[in-house]
Amino acid sequence: VLGVFGFVFILNQQMFLGNSQCSYYRTCIDCRDDPECGWCDDGSGTGLGSCMAGGNTPPQSCSQNKWYFTHCPSEYTKLSIN
């Protein structure tokens, strides 16, 4: 029984940390590396944006055409290389 409670506690802790942790990422690359987060591009063409909790489907606060879950915007990649 103790093992089961410990497992549930760990699961709850991971879920809580995963959802609240996305906003701490300041770059698309760091954001992309967290499987519970995705990058919402700000639309400026600079690759800037916000890291948010989400998956293949973006959160309601980010439109589908600005959502990057498995890769970063091409503008961001160019900025990172230069």
Side-chain angles (χ1 to χ4, degrees):
V1 175
L2 182 60
V4 172
F5 286 120
F7 181 72
V8 171
F9 174 75
I10 290 172
L11 269 180
N12 286 339
Q13 184 179 19
Q14 286 177 342
M15 287 172 54
F16 175 76
L17 289 176
N19 287 335
S20 65
Q21 192 169 332
C22 298
S23 64
Y24 291 109
Y25 297 123
R26 297 291 176 226
T27 67
C28 179
I29 293 172
D30 290 339
C31 179
R32 182 196 59 198
D33 288 344
D34 189 321
E36 295 182 19
C37 303
W39 189 255
C40 185
D41 187 66
D42 71 359
S44 67
T46 61
L48 299 175
S50 303
C51 187
M52 302 176 169
N56 286 327
T57 304
Q60 290 182 348
S61 59
C62 185
S63 62
Q64 183 71 43
N65 65 331
K66 293 182 180 180
W67 183 246
Y68 295 87
F69 181 62
T70 58
H71 63 282
C72 292
S74 58
E75 296 87 0
Y76 187 87
T77 305
K78 291 174 189 171
L79 285 174
S80 297
I81 293 171
N82 294 330

Coordinates of all heavy atoms in Angstrom, one line a residue:
V1 N 0.8 -1.2 0.0 CA 0.0 0.0 0.0 C 0.9 1.2 0.0 O 0.6 2.2 -0.7 CB -1.0 0.0 1.2 CG1 -1.7 1.3 1.3 CG2 -1.8 -1.2 1.2
L2 N 2.0 1.3 0.8 CA 2.8 2.4 0.8 C 3.4 2.7 -0.6 O 3.5 3.8 -1.0 CB 4.0 2.2 1.8 CG 4.9 3.4 2.0 CD1 4.2 4.6 2.4 CD2 6.0 3.0 3.0
G3 N 3.8 1.6 -1.3 CA 4.3 1.8 -2.7 C 3.3 2.4 -3.6 O 3.6 3.3 -4.4
V4 N 2.1 2.0 -3.5 CA 1.0 2.6 -4.3 C 0.8 4.1 -4.0 O 0.8 4.9 -4.9 CB -0.3 1.8 -4.1 CG1 -1.4 2.5 -4.9 CG2 -0.2 0.4 -4.6
F5 N 0.8 4.4 -2.8 CA 0.6 5.8 -2.4 C 1.8 6.7 -2.9 O 1.7 7.8 -3.4 CB 0.4 6.0 -0.9 CG -0.9 5.6 -0.4 CD1 -1.1 4.6 0.5 CD2 -2.0 6.2 -0.9 CE1 -2.3 4.2 0.9 CE2 -3.3 5.9 -0.5 CZ -3.4 4.9 0.4
G6 N 3.0 6.1 -2.7 CA 4.2 6.8 -3.2 C 4.2 7.0 -4.7 O 4.5 8.1 -5.2
F7 N 3.7 6.0 -5.5 CA 3.6 6.1 -6.9 C 2.6 7.2 -7.3 O 2.9 8.0 -8.2 CB 3.2 4.8 -7.5 CG 3.1 4.7 -9.0 CD1 4.3 4.8 -9.8 CD2 1.9 4.7 -9.6 CE1 4.2 4.8 -11.1 CE2 1.8 4.7 -11.0 CZ 3.0 4.8 -11.7
V8 N 1.5 7.2 -6.6 CA 0.5 8.2 -6.9 C 1.0 9.6 -6.6 O 0.9 10.6 -7.4 CB -0.8 8.0 -6.2 CG1 -1.8 9.1 -6.3 CG2 -1.5 6.7 -6.6
F9 N 1.7 9.8 -5.5 CA 2.3 11.1 -5.2 C 3.3 11.5 -6.2 O 3.3 12.6 -6.7 CB 3.0 11.0 -3.8 CG 3.8 12.2 -3.5 CD1 3.1 13.3 -3.0 CD2 5.1 12.3 -3.6 CE1 3.8 14.5 -2.7 CE2 5.8 13.4 -3.3 CZ 5.1 14.5 -2.8
I10 N 4.1 10.6 -6.7 CA 5.1 11.0 -7.7 C 4.4 11.4 -9.0 O 4.7 12.3 -9.6 CB 6.1 9.8 -8.0 CG1 7.0 9.6 -6.8 CG2 6.9 10.0 -9.2 CD1 7.9 8.4 -6.8
L11 N 3.4 10.6 -9.4 CA 2.6 10.9 -10.6 C 2.0 12.3 -10.5 O 2.1 13.1 -11.4 CB 1.5 9.9 -10.8 CG 1.8 8.7 -11.7 CD1 0.6 7.8 -11.8 CD2 2.3 9.2 -13.1
N12 N 1.4 12.6 -9.3 CA 0.7 13.9 -9.1 C 1.8 15.0 -9.2 O 1.6 16.1 -9.7 CB 0.0 14.0 -7.8 CG -1.3 13.2 -7.9 OD1 -1.8 12.9 -9.0 ND2 -1.9 12.8 -6.8
Q13 N 2.9 14.8 -8.6 CA 4.0 15.8 -8.5 C 4.5 16.1 -9.9 O 4.6 17.2 -10.3 CB 5.1 15.3 -7.6 CG 6.2 16.4 -7.5 CD 7.3 15.9 -6.6 OE1 7.5 14.7 -6.3 NE2 8.1 16.8 -6.1
Q14 N 4.7 15.0 -10.7 CA 5.2 15.2 -12.1 C 4.1 16.0 -12.9 O 4.5 16.9 -13.7 CB 5.5 13.9 -12.8 CG 6.7 13.2 -12.2 CD 7.0 11.8 -12.8 OE1 6.0 11.2 -13.4 NE2 8.2 11.4 -12.7
M15 N 2.9 15.6 -12.8 CA 1.9 16.3 -13.5 C 1.8 17.8 -13.2 O 1.8 18.7 -14.0 CB 0.5 15.7 -13.3 CG 0.4 14.3 -14.0 SD -1.1 13.4 -13.5 CE -2.4 14.6 -13.9
F16 N 1.9 18.1 -11.9 CA 1.9 19.5 -11.4 C 3.1 20.2 -11.9 O 3.0 21.3 -12.5 CB 1.8 19.5 -9.9 CG 1.9 20.9 -9.4 CD1 0.8 21.8 -9.5 CD2 3.1 21.4 -8.8 CE1 0.9 23.1 -9.0 CE2 3.2 22.7 -8.4 CZ 2.1 23.5 -8.4
L17 N 4.3 19.6 -11.8 CA 5.5 20.3 -12.2 C 5.5 20.5 -13.7 O 5.9 21.6 -14.2 CB 6.7 19.5 -11.7 CG 7.0 19.6 -10.2 CD1 8.2 18.7 -9.9 CD2 7.3 21.0 -9.7
G18 N 5.1 19.5 -14.4 CA 5.1 19.6 -15.9 C 4.2 20.8 -16.4 O 4.6 21.5 -17.3
N19 N 3.1 20.9 -15.8 CA 2.2 22.0 -16.3 C 2.6 23.3 -15.9 O 2.5 24.3 -16.7 CB 0.7 21.7 -15.8 CG 0.1 20.6 -16.5 OD1 0.4 20.3 -17.6 ND2 -0.9 20.0 -15.8
S20 N 3.2 23.5 -14.7 CA 3.6 24.8 -14.3 C 5.0 25.2 -14.8 O 5.4 26.3 -14.8 CB 3.6 24.9 -12.8 OG 4.5 24.0 -12.2
Q21 N 5.8 24.2 -15.2 CA 7.2 24.4 -15.6 C 7.4 25.0 -17.0 O 8.3 25.7 -17.2 CB 7.9 23.0 -15.5 CG 9.4 23.1 -15.6 CD 10.1 21.8 -15.3 OE1 9.6 21.0 -14.6 NE2 11.2 21.6 -15.9
C22 N 6.4 24.8 -17.9 CA 6.5 25.3 -19.2 C 6.8 26.8 -19.3 O 7.6 27.3 -20.1 CB 5.3 25.0 -20.0 SG 4.9 23.2 -20.2
S23 N 6.2 27.6 -18.4 CA 6.3 29.0 -18.5 C 7.7 29.5 -18.1 O 8.1 30.6 -18.3 CB 5.3 29.7 -17.6 OG 5.5 29.3 -16.2
Y24 N 8.5 28.6 -17.5 CA 9.9 29.0 -17.1 C 10.9 28.9 -18.3 O 11.9 29.5 -18.2 CB 10.4 28.1 -16.0 CG 9.6 28.4 -14.7 CD1 8.7 27.4 -14.2 CD2 9.8 29.5 -14.0 CE1 8.1 27.7 -13.0 CE2 9.1 29.8 -12.8 CZ 8.2 28.8 -12.3 OH 7.6 29.1 -11.2
Y25 N 10.5 28.2 -19.3 CA 11.4 28.0 -20.5 C 11.4 29.3 -21.3 O 10.3 29.8 -21.6 CB 11.0 26.9 -21.3 CG 11.1 25.5 -20.6 CD1 10.0 24.7 -20.6 CD2 12.3 25.1 -20.1 CE1 10.1 23.5 -19.9 CE2 12.4 23.9 -19.4 CZ 11.3 23.1 -19.4 OH 11.4 21.9 -18.7
R26 N 12.5 29.9 -21.6 CA 12.6 31.1 -22.4 C 13.0 30.9 -23.8 O 13.0 31.9 -24.6 CB 13.6 32.1 -21.7 CG 13.2 32.4 -20.3 CD 12.0 33.3 -20.3 NE 11.5 33.6 -19.0 CZ 10.2 33.6 -18.6 NH1 9.3 33.2 -19.4 NH2 9.9 33.9 -17.4
T27 N 13.4 29.7 -24.2 CA 13.7 29.5 -25.6 C 12.9 28.3 -26.1 O 12.5 27.4 -25.4 CB 15.2 29.1 -25.7 OG1 15.5 27.8 -25.1 CG2 16.1 30.2 -25.1
C28 N 12.7 28.3 -27.4 CA 11.9 27.3 -28.1 C 12.6 25.9 -27.9 O 12.0 24.9 -27.7 CB 11.7 27.6 -29.5 SG 10.8 26.3 -30.4
I29 N 13.9 25.9 -28.0 CA 14.7 24.6 -27.9 C 14.5 24.0 -26.5 O 14.2 22.8 -26.4 CB 16.2 24.8 -28.2 CG1 16.3 25.2 -29.7 CG2 17.0 23.6 -27.9 CD1 17.7 25.6 -30.1
D30 N 14.6 24.8 -25.4 CA 14.4 24.3 -24.1 C 13.0 23.8 -23.9 O 12.7 22.8 -23.3 CB 14.7 25.3 -23.0 CG 16.2 25.6 -22.9 OD1 17.0 24.8 -23.4 OD2 16.6 26.7 -22.4
C31 N 12.0 24.6 -24.5 CA 10.6 24.3 -24.4 C 10.3 23.0 -25.1 O 9.6 22.1 -24.6 CB 9.8 25.4 -25.0 SG 8.0 25.2 -25.0
R32 N 10.8 22.8 -26.3 CA 10.6 21.6 -27.1 C 11.1 20.3 -26.4 O 10.6 19.3 -26.6 CB 11.3 21.8 -28.5 CG 11.0 20.7 -29.4 CD 12.0 20.7 -30.6 NE 13.4 20.7 -30.0 CZ 14.4 21.0 -30.7 NH1 14.3 21.5 -31.9 NH2 15.6 20.9 -30.2
D33 N 12.2 20.5 -25.7 CA 12.7 19.3 -25.0 C 11.9 18.7 -23.9 O 12.1 17.6 -23.4 CB 14.1 19.6 -24.4 CG 15.2 19.8 -25.6 OD1 14.9 19.3 -26.7 OD2 16.2 20.4 -25.3
D34 N 10.9 19.5 -23.4 CA 10.0 19.1 -22.4 C 8.8 18.5 -23.1 O 8.0 19.2 -23.8 CB 9.6 20.2 -21.5 CG 8.8 19.8 -20.2 OD1 7.9 18.9 -20.4 OD2 9.0 20.4 -19.2
P35 N 8.5 17.2 -22.9 CA 7.4 16.5 -23.6 C 6.0 17.1 -23.3 O 5.0 16.7 -24.0 CB 7.5 15.1 -23.3 CG 8.3 15.0 -22.0 CD 9.2 16.3 -22.0
E36 N 5.8 17.9 -22.2 CA 4.5 18.4 -21.9 C 4.3 19.8 -22.3 O 3.3 20.4 -22.0 CB 4.4 18.3 -20.3 CG 4.3 16.9 -19.8 CD 4.1 16.8 -18.3 OE1 3.7 17.8 -17.7 OE2 4.4 15.8 -17.7
C37 N 5.3 20.4 -23.1 CA 5.3 21.8 -23.5 C 5.4 21.9 -25.0 O 5.9 21.1 -25.7 CB 6.4 22.5 -22.8 SG 6.5 22.4 -21.1
G38 N 4.9 23.1 -25.5 CA 5.0 23.5 -26.8 C 5.3 25.0 -26.9 O 5.1 25.7 -26.0
W39 N 5.7 25.4 -28.1 CA 6.1 26.8 -28.3 C 5.0 27.5 -29.1 O 4.6 27.1 -30.2 CB 7.4 26.9 -29.1 CG 8.0 28.2 -29.2 CD1 8.0 29.1 -30.2 CD2 8.7 29.0 -28.1 NE1 8.7 30.2 -30.0 CE2 9.1 30.2 -28.6 CE3 9.0 28.7 -26.8 CZ2 9.8 31.1 -27.9 CZ3 9.7 29.6 -26.1 CH2 10.1 30.8 -26.6
C40 N 4.5 28.6 -28.6 CA 3.6 29.5 -29.3 C 4.3 30.7 -29.9 O 4.7 31.6 -29.1 CB 2.4 29.9 -28.4 SG 1.1 30.8 -29.2
D41 N 4.5 30.7 -31.2 CA 5.2 31.8 -31.8 C 4.4 33.1 -31.7 O 3.2 33.1 -31.8 CB 5.4 31.4 -33.3 CG 6.3 32.4 -34.0 OD1 7.5 32.5 -33.7 OD2 5.8 33.1 -34.9
D42 N 5.1 34.2 -31.5 CA 4.4 35.5 -31.4 C 4.0 36.1 -32.7 O 3.3 37.2 -32.7 CB 5.2 36.5 -30.5 CG 6.4 37.0 -31.2 OD1 6.7 36.6 -32.4 OD2 7.1 37.8 -30.6
G43 N 4.3 35.5 -33.8 CA 3.9 36.0 -35.1 C 4.8 37.1 -35.7 O 4.5 37.6 -36.8
S44 N 5.8 37.5 -35.0 CA 6.7 38.6 -35.5 C 7.7 38.2 -36.5 O 8.3 39.1 -37.1 CB 7.4 39.2 -34.3 OG 8.4 38.3 -33.7
G45 N 7.8 36.9 -36.8 CA 8.8 36.5 -37.8 C 10.2 36.4 -37.2 O 11.2 36.2 -37.9
T46 N 10.3 36.6 -35.9 CA 11.7 36.6 -35.3 C 11.9 35.3 -34.5 O 13.0 35.0 -34.0 CB 11.8 37.7 -34.2 OG1 10.8 37.5 -33.2 CG2 11.6 39.1 -34.9
G47 N 10.9 34.4 -34.4 CA 11.1 33.2 -33.6 C 10.8 33.3 -32.2 O 10.9 32.4 -31.4
L48 N 10.4 34.5 -31.7 CA 10.1 34.8 -30.3 C 8.7 34.3 -30.0 O 7.9 34.2 -30.9 CB 10.2 36.3 -30.0 CG 11.6 36.9 -30.2 CD1 11.5 38.4 -29.9 CD2 12.6 36.2 -29.3
G49 N 8.4 33.9 -28.8 CA 7.1 33.5 -28.4 C 7.1 33.0 -26.9 O 7.9 33.5 -26.1
S50 N 6.2 32.1 -26.6 CA 6.0 31.6 -25.2 C 5.9 30.1 -25.2 O 5.3 29.5 -26.1 CB 4.7 32.2 -24.7 OG 4.7 33.6 -24.7
C51 N 6.5 29.6 -24.1 CA 6.4 28.1 -23.9 C 5.1 27.9 -23.1 O 4.9 28.5 -22.1 CB 7.6 27.6 -23.2 SG 7.7 25.8 -23.0
M52 N 4.3 26.9 -23.5 CA 3.0 26.7 -22.9 C 2.8 25.2 -22.7 O 3.3 24.4 -23.5 CB 1.9 27.2 -23.7 CG 1.9 28.7 -23.9 SD 0.6 29.2 -25.0 CE 0.7 31.0 -24.8
A53 N 2.0 24.8 -21.8 CA 1.6 23.4 -21.6 C 0.7 23.0 -22.8 O -0.2 23.8 -23.2 CB 0.9 23.1 -20.3
G54 N 1.0 21.9 -23.4 CA 0.2 21.4 -24.5 C 0.8 20.3 -25.2 O 1.9 19.8 -24.9
G55 N 0.1 19.7 -26.2 CA 0.6 18.6 -27.0 C 0.5 18.9 -28.5 O 0.7 20.0 -28.9
N56 N 0.0 17.9 -29.2 CA -0.2 18.1 -30.7 C -1.2 19.1 -31.0 O -1.2 19.8 -32.0 CB -0.6 16.7 -31.3 CG 0.6 15.8 -31.4 OD1 1.7 16.2 -31.6 ND2 0.3 14.5 -31.3
T57 N -2.2 19.3 -30.1 CA -3.2 20.3 -30.2 C -2.8 21.5 -29.3 O -2.5 21.3 -28.1 CB -4.6 19.8 -29.7 OG1 -4.9 18.6 -30.5 CG2 -5.6 20.8 -29.9
P58 N -2.8 22.7 -29.8 CA -2.3 23.8 -29.0 C -3.4 24.2 -27.9 O -4.5 23.8 -28.0 CB -2.2 25.0 -30.0 CG -3.2 24.6 -31.1 CD -3.1 23.1 -31.2
P59 N -2.9 24.9 -26.9 CA -3.9 25.4 -25.9 C -4.8 26.4 -26.6 O -4.4 27.0 -27.6 CB -3.0 26.0 -24.8 CG -1.7 26.3 -25.5 CD -1.6 25.3 -26.6
Q60 N -5.9 26.7 -26.0 CA -6.9 27.7 -26.6 C -6.3 29.1 -26.8 O -6.7 29.8 -27.7 CB -8.1 27.8 -25.7 CG -8.9 26.5 -25.7 CD -10.2 26.7 -24.9 OE1 -10.4 27.7 -24.2 NE2 -11.1 25.8 -25.1
S61 N -5.3 29.4 -26.0 CA -4.7 30.8 -26.2 C -3.7 30.9 -27.3 O -3.1 32.0 -27.5 CB -4.0 31.2 -24.8 OG -3.0 30.2 -24.5
C62 N -3.4 29.8 -28.1 CA -2.5 29.8 -29.2 C -3.1 29.2 -30.4 O -3.7 28.1 -30.4 CB -1.2 29.1 -28.8 SG 0.1 29.2 -30.1
S63 N -3.1 29.9 -31.5 CA -3.7 29.4 -32.8 C -2.8 28.3 -33.3 O -1.6 28.2 -33.1 CB -3.9 30.5 -33.8 OG -2.7 31.1 -34.1
Q64 N -3.5 27.4 -34.1 CA -2.8 26.2 -34.6 C -1.6 26.6 -35.5 O -0.6 26.0 -35.5 CB -3.8 25.4 -35.5 CG -3.2 24.1 -36.0 CD -3.0 23.1 -35.0 OE1 -3.8 22.9 -34.1 NE2 -1.8 22.4 -35.1
N65 N -1.8 27.7 -36.3 CA -0.7 28.1 -37.2 C 0.5 28.7 -36.5 O 1.6 29.0 -37.1 CB -1.2 29.0 -38.3 CG -1.7 30.4 -37.8 OD1 -2.1 30.5 -36.6 ND2 -1.6 31.4 -38.6
K66 N 0.4 29.0 -35.2 CA 1.5 29.5 -34.4 C 2.1 28.5 -33.4 O 3.0 28.8 -32.7 CB 1.1 30.8 -33.7 CG 0.8 32.0 -34.6 CD 0.4 33.2 -33.8 CE 0.1 34.3 -34.7 NZ -0.3 35.5 -33.9
W67 N 1.6 27.3 -33.4 CA 1.9 26.3 -32.4 C 3.0 25.3 -32.9 O 2.9 24.8 -34.0 CB 0.7 25.5 -32.0 CG 0.9 24.5 -31.0 CD1 0.9 23.1 -31.1 CD2 1.2 24.7 -29.6 NE1 1.1 22.5 -29.9 CE2 1.4 23.4 -29.0 CE3 1.4 25.8 -28.9 CZ2 1.7 23.3 -27.6 CZ3 1.7 25.7 -27.5 CH2 1.8 24.5 -26.9
Y68 N 4.0 25.2 -32.2 CA 5.2 24.3 -32.5 C 5.4 23.3 -31.4 O 5.8 23.7 -30.3 CB 6.4 25.1 -32.8 CG 6.3 26.0 -34.0 CD1 5.8 27.2 -33.9 CD2 6.7 25.5 -35.2 CE1 5.6 28.1 -35.0 CE2 6.5 26.3 -36.4 CZ 6.0 27.6 -36.2 OH 5.8 28.4 -37.3
F69 N 5.1 22.0 -31.6 CA 5.2 21.0 -30.6 C 6.4 20.1 -30.7 O 7.1 19.8 -29.8 CB 3.9 20.2 -30.5 CG 4.0 19.1 -29.4 CD1 4.1 19.5 -28.1 CD2 3.9 17.8 -29.7 CE1 4.1 18.5 -27.1 CE2 3.9 16.8 -28.7 CZ 4.0 17.2 -27.4
T70 N 6.8 19.8 -32.0 CA 7.9 18.9 -32.2 C 9.1 19.5 -32.8 O 10.2 18.9 -32.9 CB 7.5 17.7 -33.2 OG1 7.0 18.3 -34.4 CG2 6.3 16.9 -32.5
H71 N 9.0 20.8 -33.2 CA 10.1 21.5 -33.8 C 9.9 23.0 -33.5 O 8.9 23.4 -33.0 CB 10.2 21.3 -35.3 CG 9.1 21.8 -36.0 ND1 7.9 21.1 -36.1 CD2 8.9 22.9 -36.8 CE1 7.0 21.7 -36.9 NE2 7.6 22.8 -37.3
C72 N 10.9 23.8 -33.8 CA 10.8 25.3 -33.5 C 10.6 26.0 -34.9 O 10.9 25.4 -35.9 CB 12.1 25.8 -32.9 SG 12.4 25.2 -31.2
P73 N 10.1 27.2 -34.8 CA 9.9 28.0 -36.0 C 11.2 28.1 -36.8 O 12.3 28.2 -36.2 CB 9.4 29.3 -35.6 CG 9.0 29.1 -34.2 CD 9.7 28.0 -33.6
S74 N 11.2 28.2 -38.1 CA 12.4 28.3 -38.9 C 13.2 29.6 -38.6 O 14.4 29.6 -38.6 CB 12.1 28.2 -40.4 OG 11.2 29.2 -40.8
E75 N 12.4 30.6 -38.2 CA 13.1 31.9 -37.9 C 13.9 31.7 -36.6 O 15.0 32.3 -36.5 CB 12.1 33.0 -37.6 CG 11.3 33.4 -38.8 CD 10.0 32.5 -39.0 OE1 9.8 31.6 -38.2 OE2 9.3 32.7 -39.9
Y76 N 13.4 30.9 -35.7 CA 14.2 30.7 -34.4 C 15.5 29.9 -34.7 O 16.5 30.3 -34.2 CB 13.3 29.9 -33.4 CG 14.0 29.8 -32.1 CD1 13.8 30.8 -31.2 CD2 14.8 28.7 -31.8 CE1 14.4 30.7 -29.9 CE2 15.4 28.7 -30.6 CZ 15.2 29.7 -29.6 OH 15.8 29.6 -28.4
T77 N 15.4 29.0 -35.6 CA 16.6 28.2 -36.0 C 17.6 29.1 -36.6 O 18.8 29.0 -36.2 CB 16.2 27.1 -36.9 OG1 15.2 26.3 -36.3 CG2 17.4 26.1 -37.2
K78 N 17.2 30.0 -37.4 CA 18.2 30.9 -38.0 C 18.8 31.8 -37.0 O 20.0 32.1 -37.1 CB 17.5 31.8 -39.1 CG 17.1 31.0 -40.3 CD 16.2 31.8 -41.3 CE 15.6 30.9 -42.4 NZ 14.7 31.7 -43.2
L79 N 18.0 32.3 -36.0 CA 18.6 33.2 -35.0 C 19.5 32.4 -34.1 O 20.6 33.0 -33.7 CB 17.4 33.7 -34.1 CG 16.5 34.8 -34.7 CD1 15.4 35.1 -33.7 CD2 17.4 36.0 -34.9
S80 N 19.3 31.1 -33.9 CA 20.2 30.4 -33.0 C 21.5 30.1 -33.6 O 22.5 30.0 -32.9 CB 19.5 29.0 -32.7 OG 18.3 29.2 -32.0
I81 N 21.5 30.0 -34.9 CA 22.8 29.7 -35.6 C 23.7 30.9 -35.7 O 24.9 30.9 -35.6 CB 22.5 29.1 -37.0 CG1 21.8 27.8 -36.9 CG2 23.8 29.0 -37.9 CD1 21.3 27.2 -38.2
N82 N 23.1 32.1 -36.0 CA 23.8 33.3 -36.2 C 24.4 33.9 -34.9 O 23.9 33.9 -33.9 CB 22.9 34.4 -36.8 CG 22.6 34.0 -38.2 OD1 23.4 33.3 -38.9 ND2 21.4 34.4 -38.7

